[in-house]
Amino acid sequence: MKPPPPSSPSSSSSSILRKGRLSPYLVTLLAFILFVTILYGEDFSCIFASQFDPHPPSHIHQSLLSITKKKGEKLAFAIGEGEKGCDVFSGRWVWDDTRPLYEEEECPYIQPQLTCQEHGRPDKDYRNWRWQPHGCSLPSFNATLMLETLRGKRMMFVGDSLNRGQYVSMVCLLHRAIPEDAKSMKTKGSLTVFTAKEYNATIEFYWAPFLLESNSDDAIVHRISDRIVRKGSINKHGKHWKGVDIMVFNTYLWWMTGLEFKILQGSFDDEEKDIVILPTEEAYRMGMKSMLRWVKKNMDPNKTRVFFTSMSPSHQKSIDWGGDPNGNCYNQTTMIEDPTYWGSDSRKGIMRVIGEVFSKSKVPITFLNITQLSSYRKDAHTSIYKKQWNPLTPEQLANPASYADCVHWCLPGLQDTWNELLFSKLFYP
Ligand SMILES: *[C@@H]1O[C@H](CO)[C@@H](O)[C@H](O)[C@H]1NC(C)=O
Ligand SMILES: *[C@@H]1O[C@H](CO)[C@@H](O)[C@H](O)[C@H]1NC(C)=O
Ligand SMILES: *[C@@H]1O[C@H](CO)[C@@H](O)[C@H](O)[C@H]1NC(C)=O
Ligand SMILES: *[C@@H]1O[C@H](CO)[C@@H](O)[C@H](O)[C@H]1NC(C)=O
Ligand SMILES: *[C@@H]1O[C@H](CO)[C@@H](O)[C@H](O)[C@H]1NC(C)=O
């Protein structure tokens, strides 16, 4: 699967709202009112009131976003409690000689887009860092425990190629504990299924970069710059997710095409397409709310768990961390040391939307806040060390930074940590 093209400003999508002499503020307000009226006509007044809350939560502690249950009630799959007051997402990277947790060549499921050593990456240090929360330690990943827990069950990752990376990392973390002839991986359309036969367990990945129906849903041919998402369409994909026991969602990068985003009101088959243009953050908010509604309707909180992985940061411009004005993640072998480093501003807006949507909802979703800890890791991307899908031109060869992938991550590597955090929140919430 090809990586999505890096964020590019959309040029064609702004025609309607840019015309006329409206101030940008008024345009945003109008677009917002239009959005609220059309998408949430039924509870307009309530949403309107809450949206204009003069004191929106700017920072929501992760523990508030994890499911909170009444005392004595146990979360599905929990075997203990996380240390009180410890935010596992706040910490630092420490060197660990015992890493990586598996070898690249030992795990046959890693797609050639992520096998950096095979594609000539000269350095290896990126595989040796362990995440150390400030207030506690993460439990060690126990593949046997994970597989026993999944006995007779389904775990599914739904989202884009970054979620696929986390999925493959999970499979690699588990596969050594399964004998050679007792496992298989098959892909059909949007669905990839890894089966651990003796456990009657499956670990699956479903391609749906927006979760909702979109014009980028083809599992292979999906490089579309003029992206359109259909309002209220989550069941189009959601019908394939029913009966899952542990669910891991992500969605972010594909929404990032500029300040505005196209939302389709009718069907993709309509001859005259009815399209509304929303500020990207409001379009994303709509996507998040659809996801929450789907979870509420389809997942039994007493028996299942749902995770949401936050935005995976990219490192497209080294100027962001005070480097060479023309550079990117290419040739980066060390991480960013500044603990306050965050990167692009658009991530802030999206994080705020996630915080707002989750804090107003009672739907139990465990939030994997991996954005900050990953934003330090400019060294962990695949860069040029991956299968190149098109022959490289002499200009590209002369300037490797021009074709470096600063979005995806080498495996083994950073995404194994995301799964250690998932493991920690699953068993010790
Ligand atoms: C891993 O989990 C299994 C199953 O619960 C348990 O028997 C084993 O002792 C655990 N291993 C470690 C190293 O904790
Ligand atoms: C295998 O797991 C599925 C759920 O994924 C379940 O419906 C089925 O009953 C299980 N079969 C056996 C033999 O345990
Ligand atoms: C979950 O379990 C509690 C009691 O343990 C019960 O009151 C509640 O109705 C259950 N919820 C669902 C959705 O089954
Ligand atoms: C890579 O970075 C090092 C310094 O960290 C520099 O000396 C070297 O010239 C760079 N290589 C390329 C090909 O840019
Ligand atoms: C995620 O973590 C970052 C850094 O710790 C924090 O700034 C942000 O508010 C958190 N997001 C949410 C929604 O809790």
Side-chain angles (χ1 to χ4, degrees):
M1 194 169 302
K2 295 185 185 178
S7 326
S8 53
S10 71
S11 48
S12 59
S13 61
S14 47
S15 50
I16 302 178
L17 292 170
R18 289 253 173 87
K19 272 180 197 143
R21 269 175 291 155
L22 297 177
S23 76
Y25 172 77
L26 207 53
V27 168
T28 312
L29 188 68
L30 281 177
F32 175 70
I33 290 172
L34 192 66
F35 160 71
V36 170
T37 318
I38 292 169
L39 278 85
Y40 292 98
E42 72 277 11
D43 46 14
F44 177 86
S45 56
C46 133
I47 300 242
F48 193 84
S50 65
Q51 291 300 339
F52 285 92
D53 179 349
H55 306 291
S58 57
H59 172 97
I60 293 99
H61 193 271
Q62 54 88 21
S63 61
L64 295 179
L65 295 175
S66 303
I67 167 169
T68 38
K69 281 205 156 186
K70 286 195 211 91
K71 276 214 171 60
E73 273 184 64
K74 209 167 126 260
L75 278 179
F77 306 112
I79 56 177
E81 275 180 29
E83 246 174 86
K84 285 232 157 30
C86 174
D87 176 359
V88 292
F89 304 107
S90 164
R92 65 202 166 91
W93 290 101
V94 297
W95 182 260
D96 185 342
D97 279 323
T98 69
R99 309 228 151 191
L101 295 170
Y102 55 89
E103 293 297 331
E104 181 185 293
E105 61 278 7
E106 166 221 324
C107 182
Y109 308 103
I110 312 174
Q111 60 270 47
Q113 194 189 338
L114 307 180
T115 48
C116 298
Q117 294 297 317
E118 184 191 1
H119 292 95
R121 180 159 180 169
D123 57 308
K124 291 188 168 168
D125 286 2
Y126 66 91
R127 311 170 317 157
N128 277 81
W129 298 101
R130 178 171 59 78
W131 181 247
Q132 178 61 58
H134 288 311
C136 53
S137 283
L138 292 177
S140 358
F141 189 93
N142 182 335
T144 312
L145 174 59
M146 191 74 205
L147 284 165
E148 285 298 346
T149 303
L150 287 173
R151 194 176 279 284
K153 295 200 161 56
R154 293 171 72 192
M155 177 175 198
M156 187 185 265
F157 292 74
V158 174
D160 60 23
S161 57
L162 288 151
N163 215 23
R164 177 187 280 266
Q166 187 178 351
Y167 162 71
V168 171
S169 155
M170 178 61 84
V171 169
C172 290
L173 287 166
L174 296 177
H175 96 108
R176 215 181 338 184
I178 310 167
E180 211 43 63
D181 54 353
K183 57 195 168 196
S184 65
M185 188 188 268
K186 287 202 183 76
T187 296
K188 196 173 163 220
S190 298
L191 186 66
T192 299
V193 180
F194 175 82
T195 306
K197 292 193 192 71
E198 286 171 355
Y199 291 93
N200 182 32
T202 60
I203 302 156
E204 310 177 26
F205 171 75
Y206 185 97
W207 170 260
F210 295 99
L211 308 182
L212 282 72
E213 183 183 9
S214 78
N215 62 350
S216 309
D217 288 344
D218 189 287
I220 295 154
V221 188
H222 50 231
R223 295 194 86 161
I224 290 165
S225 53
D226 185 23
R227 297 172 194 165
I228 303 172
V229 166
R230 189 179 141 227
K231 181 198 128 193
S233 61
I234 198 158
N235 287 327
K236 169 86 194 286
H237 299 306
K239 60 177 187 274
H240 302 285
W241 314 335
K242 289 190 180 177
V244 166
D245 299 281
I246 300 174
M247 192 65 149
V248 186
F249 288 112
N250 92 327
T251 184
Y252 163 60
L253 197 63
W254 285 71
W255 298 90
M256 297 296 114
T257 54
L259 296 175
E260 293 163 339
F261 202 92
K262 288 184 176 174
I263 301 295
L264 176 68
Q265 305 285 327
S267 140
F268 277 106
D269 298 331
D270 294 347
E271 234 164 83
E272 290 255 319
K273 289 199 182 33
D274 180 5
I275 285 175
V276 179
I277 294 168
L278 296 182
T280 297
E281 285 177 16
E282 295 315 315
Y284 187 84
R285 187 189 302 275
M286 178 213 67
M288 294 294 290
K289 287 186 169 179
S290 290
M291 176 185 79
L292 290 180
R293 273 195 297 269
W294 187 89
V295 169
K296 190 172 177 201
K297 204 157 162 234
N298 294 285
M299 300 292 283
D300 177 348
N302 286 346
K303 298 198 184 106
T304 67
R305 289 285 294 279
V306 181
F307 295 85
F308 181 80
T309 308
S310 63
M311 307 86 76
S312 173
S314 44
H315 293 87
Q316 314 271 20
K317 288 187 251 147
S318 35
I319 203 156
D320 287 348
W321 56 87
D324 169 6
N326 301 315
N328 57 24
C329 71
Y330 170 65
N331 197 26
Q332 298 297 320
T333 55
T334 56
M335 71 179 81
I336 295 166
E337 301 284 350
D338 174 8
T340 64
Y341 178 78
W342 176 260
S344 116
D345 271 349
S346 70
R347 287 203 280 276
K348 244 179 214 155
I350 294 293
M351 190 62 102
R352 197 189 57 240
V353 170
I354 295 175
E356 286 168 4
V357 172
F358 280 12
S359 66
K360 280 178 198 154
S361 155
K362 289 196 186 69
V363 179
I365 294 193
T366 305
F367 185 55
L368 299 178
N369 191 355
I370 54 83
T371 308
Q372 180 74 51
L373 63 95
S374 307
S375 72
Y376 305 130
R377 298 301 308 276
K378 65 179 166 62
D379 60 317
H381 290 286
T382 53
S383 182
I384 63 167
Y385 308 109
K386 56 175 196 110
K387 180 170 173 172
Q388 302 299 337
W389 300 91
N390 302 312
L392 296 168
T393 62
E395 293 75 37
Q396 284 178 315
L397 287 168
N399 177 18
S402 68
Y403 64 97
D405 178 343
C406 300
V407 170
H408 297 96
W409 311 96
C410 302
L411 284 183
L414 172 69
Q415 293 192 295
D416 302 321
T417 294
W418 299 4
N419 280 320
E420 291 179 275
L421 290 159
L422 169 60
F423 180 92
S424 154
K425 285 288 175 191
L426 178 64
F427 294 114
Y428 306 93

